[in-house]
Amino acid sequence: MKTQEQVFAGQEADQWFLRNKNVINAKSKENDICYNIIRQSLSKKQIRSVLELGCSNGYRLNFLKEVFSNDTKFVGCDVSKLAVEDGIKRYGLELCCSSLADFSYSEQFDLVIVNFVLHWIDRELLYNCIAKIDSFLKCQNSFLLLGDFYPYVPHKRRYHHCEQEKIYTYKLDYKNFFLASNCYQVLQEYIYNTDKTEKLDGNNRAGVVLLEKNDNFFIEL
Ligand SMILES: C[S@@+](CC[C@H](N)C(=O)[O-])C[C@H]1O[C@@H](n2cnc3c(N)ncnc32)[C@H](O)[C@@H]1O
């Protein structure tokens, strides 16, 4: 039997991109919550390098080019080959086709973005991925923008696009993994509906949080 990671990497990541390509290409930065939080909260001086993990075709990295200085480095990774090929061609970005668990890079970054990716991650690889994300951030004065479903009660749901495989999405408040280390603090948090209904219930509730990472958040006794 295939693992959840193999199913997503093997077929579903490309299928997701093909299903959503038109929506992605029609996105505007004005409506992108992650873009707006970053633009309002972080300055050109603070951010010289940005990594987006699970970046699809890198549309958000492309939006952010105008927010930071010309010499800012932008790097992205996604497990969908089609999304990565599209982003390289469309935006000329440095994108790598890799799963989060396998991705490696020679430098650390000032800002790492992970939006709506962790709910897809195989639970066997979750701590590995959390550690990976942490390792890509500089130890002092770096920032993590984390977005995902934000239900009142943590839960898993069968992934209906791949009914022949038994795979799930896992919805919970992922910022707690980082806060538990005491190396991260919340700078901003925004909670919203993923659909147009007015009622904010457990199924459509999502959150984006901007965390600052710093190994000086400890008091010395
Ligand atoms: C729901 S989409 C979100 C895309 C983008 N982050 C955004 O905010 O629009 C999830 C993305 O994560 C990618 N992805 C899923 N599992 C991944 C993994 N294990 N490693 C890297 N990328 C992954 C998918 O291919 C897809 O592009």
Side-chain angles (χ1 to χ4, degrees):
M1 206 176 83
K2 285 185 198 156
T3 64
Q4 172 139 343
E5 174 92 343
Q6 285 165 339
V7 174
F8 276 133
Q11 41 181 292
E12 181 45 27
D14 279 345
Q15 292 306 318
W16 185 90
F17 179 66
L18 292 174
R19 282 195 303 274
N20 291 283
K21 196 173 174 184
N22 291 342
V23 177
I24 290 171
N25 291 331
K27 278 184 189 284
S28 70
K29 47 182 176 286
E30 290 74 22
N31 293 329
D32 189 63
I33 295 168
C34 297
Y35 167 86
N36 283 302
I37 291 180
I38 291 168
R39 190 177 57 82
Q40 285 159 18
S41 313
L42 302 176
S43 71
K44 283 187 184 177
K45 236 168 61 188
Q46 287 170 303
I47 305 300
R48 310 310 291 247
S49 54
V50 183
L51 169 68
E52 182 162 3
L53 297 161
C55 65
S56 186
N57 70 351
Y59 73 90
R60 182 173 297 111
L61 290 171
N62 187 56
F63 289 163
L64 289 169
K65 278 183 191 164
E66 63 165 56
V67 173
F68 300 118
S69 315
N70 288 341
D71 58 352
T72 303
K73 186 181 189 84
F74 293 96
V75 179
C77 119
D78 197 284
V79 80
S80 162
K81 191 165 176 274
L82 293 181
V84 165
E85 283 172 358
D86 183 82
I88 292 171
K89 204 162 128 202
R90 194 180 291 272
Y91 306 121
L93 284 162
E94 181 180 345
L95 302 183
C96 171
C97 181
S98 168
S99 73
L100 207 170
D102 290 338
F103 183 65
S104 63
Y105 204 80
S106 53
E107 295 163 35
Q108 291 179 306
F109 292 81
D110 296 319
L111 170 63
V112 173
I113 303 166
V114 190
N115 190 53
F116 275 89
V117 180
L118 290 177
H119 69 270
W120 272 26
I121 297 291
D122 199 320
R123 293 304 92 169
E124 285 200 18
L125 295 171
L126 180 62
Y127 275 98
N128 178 321
C129 291
I130 299 290
K132 267 278 157 104
I133 295 167
D134 177 63
S135 74
F136 290 128
L137 282 155
K138 293 179 183 169
C139 285
Q140 291 197 345
N141 304 110
S142 62
F143 301 89
L144 173 60
L145 198 282
L146 202 58
D148 219 305
F149 294 103
Y150 191 43
Y152 292 107
V153 180
H155 62 268
K156 67 176 184 178
R157 242 172 220 281
R158 273 295 284 278
Y159 188 71
H160 69 276
H161 291 294
C162 291
E163 258 155 18
Q164 69 283 16
E165 310 281 355
K166 207 167 176 192
I167 57 175
Y168 293 90
T169 54
Y170 296 86
K171 303 180 181 181
L172 63 141
D173 185 358
Y174 287 101
K175 73 173 178 298
N176 291 331
F177 290 96
F178 298 92
L179 293 179
S181 70
N182 204 54
C183 292
Y184 291 81
Q185 284 188 357
V186 175
L187 291 183
Q188 293 245 16
E189 188 162 30
Y190 182 78
I191 296 166
Y192 65 100
N193 280 344
T194 51
D195 58 31
K196 302 280 181 272
T197 56
E198 280 181 19
K199 197 165 157 261
L200 198 58
D201 65 25
N203 291 327
N204 64 15
R205 194 172 183 254
V208 182
V209 63
L210 180 64
L211 301 171
E212 179 178 356
K213 179 180 178 185
N214 205 314
D215 59 11
N216 285 335
F217 290 144
F218 288 84
I219 47 167
E220 191 174 339
L221 297 177

